[in-house]
């Protein structure tokens, strides 16, 4: 399938802007519009229109050198350079090829500022927006970035993109080019308008002329065309990809880019497993490593390069919500339709024992989908949260109102199997119709065994899930762990072909449209969506709409707490663990700002320190 037809300009080029706050012939009211250099969901912007750079960057950071990472992804490999469709496994780092209309400021919860767009013009109700593009915005081939490209991008991603893009752009009612550099986007009547301008503004803009001859909907290893600061320099399919600076990049000196894009090249090296990747890091094959495994963080960092100070090891804070990580139960499967079954299964995971025996005491237990934030539900509902939930009382379990927000049971750290919890979970399964047969196995009224299969692609996952399976087996559940290769794992998640799978989603400080792909009914049957549990619940859908429409941060906080409380009462997952920080190790060849941005890891603002690099070369540490 080829890309949609390109927009014809003959009708719209005659339409012009009389000024940044009015649109001739578009039915707008100049007095009711505002034109700004950015937008935030709530309140004023931190940075004025004449700001020179973000506070968390070093505006004098030198340019040069190479930053190298381990390539990650569902498959631990890649076979495509097209991140916009489900076909293929895209390489990491492709976002460096593309500019967006607006970009985040990582010291504000939800503010965005102009990149491709010089200004945004919108009415008080935010029901439409005009993005005014920089006149000198260019793609890497020198072609100008025009309003036509924005229209093409939105139309194409909404109809042919991944489910995440289709759901994200669902409320875009139309887009039209008003001139070469002015594009108007209208939003659907009845949509929650608060975040749409910012969200659409953070969609990568694609070149319409490039897709005149390139099929959009196919995976490819041909380097794509974008307008971002880097271009694909070298591809070794499945093994490594290198992006290097576009010397003709149009936006190097824009305020949003000052102190950023400091490396000449970025390299992502791929490895078959964690062991080979870590050995490569120790040898200097790649230079920056973030550790995600507690056992490795606790035991593997005692090698010579650490002792000699060649590799730095540090823990840095993460002020974002700590992520919704858990074992997600697939309610599309018959055995998970009864919430009592899901609750019983969740009760048998002993975090305290696992943390002591497997995680070196480095984690805390996750309770909430918005863990480590002021948006997680606690105790009994009260005040505005209670008033909101009262609207749905007849469709919610009474326990939502009479019991504190659901938290995982606290089990014994001394032994994996907690017998009191075994009895309680058994009672729930009894009530759900799963009785114990003579062999100690749970069966339903038709004699079918209660069976669950954990699916993962990580060898490290086995040591965590096997003790959990032992507990489920003692409960009478036929539980097994199946390890598949990364490509199979990706396919099975996209097709929802699993009983239980593990995943982590980092939710933003201002929850919004992403909730649709995670928890809304519309995403439950959309292949490739992130609704791993297959949740379809009208109350959840209604609360998501209210969260997206929240007019201020206090109201947002209240509505997210209500949503969190209702989601936890559904028992759609077995919550895992969190640490609220980043575990970093890196060769000491980098400079970095004195303070990292509170809502980002901050490595995009580091730079190459040639003096440090030469010192390590002289010591024989690096080639």
């Amino acid at each position: 399938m080829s890309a949609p037809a390109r927009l014809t300009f003959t009708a719209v080029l005659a339409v012009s802007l009389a000024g940044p706050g009015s649109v001739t012939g578009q039915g707008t009211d100049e007095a009711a519009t505002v034109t700004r250099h950015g937008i935030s969901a709530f309140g004023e912007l931190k940075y004025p229109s004449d700001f020179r750079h973000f506070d968390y960057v070093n505006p004098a950071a030198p340019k040069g050198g190479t930053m190298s990472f381990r390539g990650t992804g569902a498959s631990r490999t890649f076979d495509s350079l097209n991140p916009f469709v489900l076909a293929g496994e895209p390489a990491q780092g492709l976002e460096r090829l593309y500019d967006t209309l607006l970009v985040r400021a990582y010291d504000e919860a939800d503010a965005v500022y102009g990149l491709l767009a010089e200004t945004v013009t919108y009415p008080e109700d935010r029901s439409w927006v005009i993005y005014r593009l920089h006149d000198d915005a260019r793609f890497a081939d020198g072609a100008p970035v025009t309003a036509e490209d924005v229209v093409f991008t939105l139309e194409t991603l909404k109809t042919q993109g991944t489910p995440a893009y289709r759901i994200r752009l669902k409320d875009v009612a139309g887009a039209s080019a008003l001139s070469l550099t002015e594009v108007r986007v209208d939003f659907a009547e009845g949509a929650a308008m608060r975040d749409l301008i910012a969200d659409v503004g953070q969609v990568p803009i694609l070149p319409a002329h490039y897709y005149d001859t390139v099929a959009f909907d196919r995976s490819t290893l041909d380097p794509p065309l974008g307008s971002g600061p880097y271009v694909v320099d070298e591809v070794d399919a499945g093994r490594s990809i290198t992006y290097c600076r576009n010397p003709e990049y149009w936006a190097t000196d824009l305020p949003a880019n000052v102190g950023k894009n400091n490396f000449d090249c970025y390299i992502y090296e791929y490895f078959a497993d964690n062991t080979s990747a870590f050995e490569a890091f120790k040898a200097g094959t790649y230079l920056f490593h973030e550790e995600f495994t507690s056992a490795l963080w606790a035991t593997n960092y005692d090698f010579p390069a650490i002792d000699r100070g060649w590799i730095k090891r540090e823990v840095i804070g993460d002020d974002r919500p700590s992520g919704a990580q858990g074992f997600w139960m697939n309610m599309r499967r018959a055995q998970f339709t009864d919430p009592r079954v899901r609750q019983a299964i969740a009760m048998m995971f002993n975090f305290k024992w696992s943390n002591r025996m497997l995680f070196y005491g480095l984690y805390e237990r996750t309770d909430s989908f918005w863990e480590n934030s002021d948006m997680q539900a606690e105790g009994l509902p009260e005040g505005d949260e209670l008033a909101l939930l009262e609207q749905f009382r007849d469709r919610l379990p009474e326990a939502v109102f009479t019991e504190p927000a659901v938290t995982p049971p606290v089990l014994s750290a001394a032994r994996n199997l907690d017998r009191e919890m075994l009895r309680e979970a058994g009672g729930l399964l009894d009530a759900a119709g799963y009785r114990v047969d003579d062999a100690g196995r749970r069966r339903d009224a038709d004699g079918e065994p209660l069976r669950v299969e954990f699916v993962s692609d990580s060898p490290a996952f086995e040591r965590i899930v096997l003790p959990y399976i032992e507990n489920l087996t003692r409960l009478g559940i036929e539980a097994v762990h199946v390890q598949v290769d990364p490509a199979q794992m990706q396919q099975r998640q996209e097709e929802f072909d699993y009983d239980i799978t593990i995943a982590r989603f980092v939710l933003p400080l201002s929850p919004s449209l992403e909730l649709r792909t995670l928890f809304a009914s519309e995403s439950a049957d959309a292949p490739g969506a992130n609704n791993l549990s297959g949740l379809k619940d009208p109350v959840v859908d209604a609360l998501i709409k209210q969260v997206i429409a929240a007019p201020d941060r206090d109201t947002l906080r209240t509505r997210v707490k209500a949503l969190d409380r209702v989601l936890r009462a559904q028992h759609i997952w077995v919550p895992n663990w969190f640490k609220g920080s980043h575990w970093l190790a890196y060769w000491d060849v980098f400079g970095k700002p004195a303070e990292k941005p509170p809502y980002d890891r901050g490595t995009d603002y580091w730079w190459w320190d040639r003096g440090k690099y030469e010192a390590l070369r002289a010591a024989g540490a690096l080639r």
Side-chain angles (χ1 to χ4, degrees):
M1 184 185 299
S2 62
R6 289 169 62 179
L7 176 71
T8 301
F9 266 73
T10 53
V12 298
L13 281 177
V15 181
S16 63
L17 288 181
S22 62
V23 185
T24 303
Q26 294 297 306
T28 60
D29 179 1
E30 181 172 1
T33 64
V34 60
T35 296
R36 305 189 74 184
H37 61 295
I39 190 170
S40 66
F42 310 109
E44 291 300 312
L45 298 169
K46 173 181 176 180
Y47 295 96
S49 59
D50 61 348
F51 83 103
R52 296 184 177 183
H53 57 79
F54 295 127
D55 289 346
Y56 48 82
V57 307
N58 173 9
K63 307 294 185 183
T66 297
M67 169 65 90
S68 51
F69 303 102
R70 175 190 178 184
T72 60
S75 298
R76 294 196 293 276
T77 185
F78 70 94
D79 58 11
S80 176
L81 302 186
N82 183 353
F84 304 109
V85 298
L86 286 179
E89 173 66 18
Q92 192 175 354
L94 287 165
E95 69 279 358
R96 302 187 186 281
L97 305 181
Y98 300 96
D99 276 341
T100 55
L101 296 166
L102 306 170
V103 292
R104 279 284 313 275
Y106 287 106
D107 54 354
E108 298 178 81
D110 47 44
V112 290
Y113 294 85
L115 184 56
L116 282 169
E118 186 172 15
T119 60
V120 290
T121 299
Y122 54 91
E124 183 178 359
D125 66 0
R126 304 190 181 195
S127 58
W128 54 265
V129 62
I130 295 170
Y131 300 100
R132 170 67 165 82
L133 304 179
H134 280 278
D135 291 336
D136 52 356
R138 294 289 185 273
F139 290 105
D141 65 352
V145 181
T146 69
E148 177 184 7
D149 296 304
V150 179
V151 173
F152 167 83
T153 297
L154 299 183
E155 290 179 347
T156 302
L157 292 178
K158 184 175 179 178
T159 57
Q160 298 186 45
T162 64
Y165 280 113
R166 297 184 191 200
I167 293 170
R168 181 177 184 177
L169 299 174
K170 167 186 155 182
D171 290 328
V172 173
S176 55
L178 306 180
S179 72
L180 287 174
T181 57
E182 296 150 348
V183 59
R184 172 172 169 141
V185 179
D186 290 276
F187 302 117
E189 184 176 354
M193 308 296 181
R194 186 193 75 209
D195 300 307
L196 288 172
I197 294 172
D199 207 59
V200 170
Q202 293 176 82
V203 171
I205 299 304
L206 308 176
H209 68 282
Y210 175 77
Y211 290 101
D212 281 341
T213 56
V214 174
F216 171 81
D217 60 348
R218 296 178 184 174
S219 64
T220 179
L221 286 171
D222 293 331
L225 178 65
S227 63
Y230 292 89
V231 295
V232 175
D233 183 71
E234 186 176 353
V235 178
D236 185 357
R239 297 172 63 88
S240 70
I241 184 167
T242 301
Y243 306 92
C244 289
R245 186 187 308 281
N246 174 11
E248 304 299 323
Y249 178 50
W250 71 276
T252 298
D253 297 323
L254 286 187
N257 277 336
V258 171
K260 189 182 179 184
N261 306 319
N262 298 318
F263 296 101
D264 283 345
C265 296
Y266 283 89
I267 301 176
Y268 297 84
E269 301 278 1
Y270 284 78
F271 302 91
D273 54 60
N274 290 337
T275 299
S276 57
F278 193 68
E279 290 302 314
F281 170 67
K282 289 161 60 176
T285 303
Y286 66 99
L287 302 176
F288 179 94
H289 181 79
E290 181 167 5
E291 186 59 71
F292 297 99
T293 303
S294 58
L296 297 181
W297 187 249
T299 64
N300 275 27
Y301 288 81
D302 57 357
F303 49 91
I306 291 276
D307 298 336
R308 294 168 182 162
W310 297 345
I311 290 178
K312 298 294 185 181
R313 182 172 178 252
E314 64 177 312
V315 178
I316 63 172
D318 185 356
D319 294 340
R320 300 171 299 173
S322 289
Q325 178 174 309
F327 303 112
W328 300 80
M329 289 178 272
N330 187 358
M331 296 189 296
R332 305 170 188 85
R333 300 285 171 93
Q335 68 267 42
F336 298 117
T337 56
D338 192 319
R340 293 169 295 189
V341 173
R342 302 195 298 270
Q343 184 178 1
I345 289 172
M347 291 168 70
M348 299 311 296
F349 177 63
N350 189 338
F351 166 75
K352 288 192 71 175
W353 180 89
S354 298
N355 198 36
R356 181 176 72 87
M357 298 297 294
L358 305 176
F359 304 149
Y360 295 84
L362 294 173
Y363 292 123
E364 298 179 59
R365 184 73 193 266
T366 297
D367 296 328
S368 163
F369 294 95
W370 282 272
E371 190 63 57
N372 198 34
S373 79
D374 60 1
M375 295 179 286
Q376 65 182 90
E378 296 179 318
L380 292 168
E382 57 185 21
D384 291 341
E385 183 193 352
L386 177 59
L388 174 57
L389 291 170
E390 286 287 0
Q391 302 175 32
F392 310 103
R393 181 180 278 273
D394 61 340
R395 290 180 283 170
L396 289 171
E398 185 63 19
V400 168
F401 300 92
T402 60
E403 297 179 12
V406 171
T407 58
V410 178
L411 308 186
S412 169
R415 57 185 180 277
N416 182 34
L417 182 65
D418 188 300
R419 295 189 179 279
E420 180 180 350
M421 206 55 57
L422 183 66
R423 288 191 293 272
E424 291 188 29
L428 286 171
L429 293 183
D430 288 341
Y434 284 97
R435 301 291 181 173
V436 180
D437 66 12
D438 294 340
R441 290 183 293 182
R442 295 275 176 178
R443 296 184 180 274
D444 63 15
D446 296 324
E448 292 297 318
L450 178 53
R451 186 180 189 277
V452 298
E453 179 183 272
F454 291 81
V455 180
S456 79
D457 63 347
S458 171
F461 179 67
E462 188 173 45
R463 72 186 184 96
I464 300 169
V465 75
L466 287 183
Y468 186 18
I469 285 176
E470 290 177 9
N471 284 351
L472 293 173
T473 302
R474 291 293 297 272
L475 186 59
I477 297 174
E478 185 181 331
V480 297
H481 170 235
V482 175
Q483 183 175 322
V484 298
D485 65 47
Q488 290 175 315
M489 187 72 247
Q490 179 190 6
Q491 182 176 2
R492 291 184 70 159
Q493 284 198 342
E494 289 177 355
E495 298 175 356
F496 310 123
D497 182 18
Y498 51 83
D499 291 342
I500 299 177
T501 189
I502 189 171
R504 178 175 184 260
F505 301 104
V506 178
L507 302 182
L509 292 150
S510 298
S512 186
L513 303 178
E514 76 287 339
L515 297 176
R516 292 174 174 170
T517 190
L518 290 168
F519 303 119
S521 298
E522 65 189 275
S523 62
D525 298 318
N530 290 326
N531 190 341
L532 298 182
S533 63
L535 181 62
K536 292 182 181 180
D537 185 271
V539 174
V540 170
D541 294 340
L543 287 172
I544 288 174
K545 289 181 180 179
Q546 296 214 25
V547 168
I548 295 172
D552 54 67
R553 187 158 293 282
D554 286 342
T555 304
L556 176 74
R557 188 180 299 112
T558 296
R559 293 179 180 180
V560 174
K561 285 182 177 180
L563 176 60
D564 185 44
R565 187 180 301 274
V566 170
L567 287 171
R568 287 155 66 177
Q570 298 269 9
H571 302 287
I572 64 176
W573 70 336
V574 184
N576 281 178
W577 47 84
F578 75 99
K579 55 183 170 64
S581 60
H582 298 281
W583 294 336
L584 304 184
Y586 53 90
W587 285 84
D588 189 18
V589 295
F590 303 116
K592 57 183 179 177
E595 300 290 335
K596 85 168 192 68
Y599 305 130
D600 187 71
R601 189 175 68 182
T603 48
D604 277 347
Y605 312 101
W606 290 18
W607 60 88
W608 184 256
D609 188 318
R610 178 157 294 279
K612 291 182 177 180
Y613 170 67
E614 294 296 347
L616 289 190
R617 282 190 66 192
L622 292 172
R623 294 192 297 273

